[in-house]
Amino acid sequence: RFLEKYIASKNIDLVHVHFANVGAAFMPLLKQIDIPFIVSFYGYDYEKVPFQNPNIISSYQWIFTSAASITTEGPHGKSILIKMGCEADRIAVVPLGIPIESNALPKGKKANTLRLVQAATLTPKKGQLVTLAALDQLDLANLECTFLGELDDTKYSQEVMSQIESLPNAKFKPFIAFDEFDDEMVKYDILIQPSQYAPDRDCEGGAPLTLVHAQALGLPVISTDHCDIPNVVRHGKTGLLVPEGDSHALAQAISDFYKMATTEFSDWSQQSIRNAQTHFDVKETGRKLFELYSSLGA
């Protein structure tokens, strides 16, 4: 009732709902206000929420037919919604963006050295156990991997921490505050992020913004073909993508970057910076969202 009165008193023209399960929860309000609304899908709302609560699917179907527009981060997210019954022309692809500095310089590294970092909450969809399985297959001097993140799923986190402690080339750092994140990231050569579907169907939906942050700082990415990651990381140019859950392929990708010398690595780094600046600057992604709002009369 508060929101309904607020929308009326402020003459709101358009409501933007973030996460589809929130849209489902606010269906009574959205039906009552009689103004256009947008719903943005991001991750767990694609498949985890319906997997845990099948009854919400009917609410999603209402959103598909009633929303003025639906947004996803990339084409894969769009394809998921089409399979769920949403008409393609109702879906707008609006990537997430970040503020990007234009003065980033490409990084270099020596051959036969590599400093990896995985920055993500310790949870199954982030694939830390796959990273650790890949590291366990490699006997390479001057290879190290630092795991940054929060402890989330207790059982999973315990298993990850146990395996980190068992590997000489792996270590863990606790959560890094956002305003310190970039300063921490530039200490490394490569971001590794083998995202995958979790047993409860949790997924990235789009792609982790960490991948954009890394590229903007000049870090190429090792990741997977999961969800919209191939739309964010250009395979063979700004990173290497392997099938999700494939620790052997992940180990090979690590080895490829490990062997890479300064000149070649700097080229990958430069292309990573250019990719982030060209496609994921928040000024550009914000412009796309503004154009969507404008097309709906807002």
Side-chain angles (χ1 to χ4, degrees), residues 99-119:
I100 295 178
E101 300 291 339
S102 60
N103 58 353
L105 297 175
K107 295 171 65 68
K109 77 165 195 70
K110 296 179 180 179
N112 301 321
T113 65
L114 194 64
R115 297 168 299 173
L116 296 165
V117 61
Q118 181 164 359

Side-chain angles (χ1 to χ4, degrees), residues 100-288:
I100 295 178
E101 300 291 339
S102 60
N103 58 353
L105 297 175
K107 295 171 65 68
K109 77 165 195 70
K110 296 179 180 179
N112 301 321
T113 65
L114 194 64
R115 297 168 299 173
L116 296 165
V117 61
Q118 181 164 359
T121 301
L122 270 60
T123 189
K125 77 172 179 180
K126 299 300 183 181
Q128 286 92 350
L129 289 177
V130 185
T131 302
L132 288 160
L135 293 173
D136 194 36
Q137 298 170 41
L138 297 168
D139 184 16
L140 302 173
N142 302 315
L143 170 67
E144 61 181 49
C145 183
T146 301
F147 293 83
L148 308 176
E150 297 174 284
L151 306 180
D152 183 29
D153 181 280
T154 302
K155 183 179 179 181
Y156 180 82
S157 294
Q158 288 177 347
E159 187 174 356
V160 170
M161 294 301 293
S162 175
Q163 294 203 29
I164 289 174
E165 292 170 2
S166 70
L167 292 176
N169 56 0
K171 61 182 178 179
F172 176 79
K173 284 187 178 182
F175 174 76
I176 301 292
F178 184 76
D179 58 359
E180 301 172 2
F181 185 73
D182 286 0
D183 289 338
E184 178 66 25
M185 290 290 286
V186 296
K187 298 175 183 178
Y188 308 99
D189 304 314
I190 295 283
L191 177 80
I192 187 166
Q193 179 60 68
S195 296
Q196 61 184 2
Y197 271 96
D200 61 2
R201 298 301 293 169
D202 196 10
C203 67
E204 300 291 1
L209 270 180
T210 310
L211 307 186
V212 177
H213 274 282
Q215 291 177 87
L217 295 169
L219 278 72
V221 173
I222 297 174
S223 191
T224 61
D225 55 6
H226 176 76
C227 288
D228 272 307
I229 290 175
N231 193 52
V232 172
V233 179
R234 314 298 177 187
H235 178 65
K237 295 182 178 180
T238 74
L240 293 174
L241 302 180
V242 304
E244 63 176 84
D246 189 338
S247 64
H248 298 291
L250 197 67
Q252 183 61 56
I254 294 170
S255 179
D256 289 346
F257 273 115
Y258 175 85
K259 297 172 184 175
M260 203 174 288
T262 301
T263 302
E264 184 181 1
F265 184 83
S266 292
D267 183 56
W268 286 71
S269 179
Q270 179 63 64
Q271 291 188 78
S272 298
I273 294 169
R274 191 179 302 120
N275 182 44
Q277 292 176 343
T278 303
H279 301 289
F280 301 101
D281 190 317
V282 72
K283 294 177 183 178
E284 174 62 18
T285 59
R287 181 188 62 80
K288 290 181 179 180

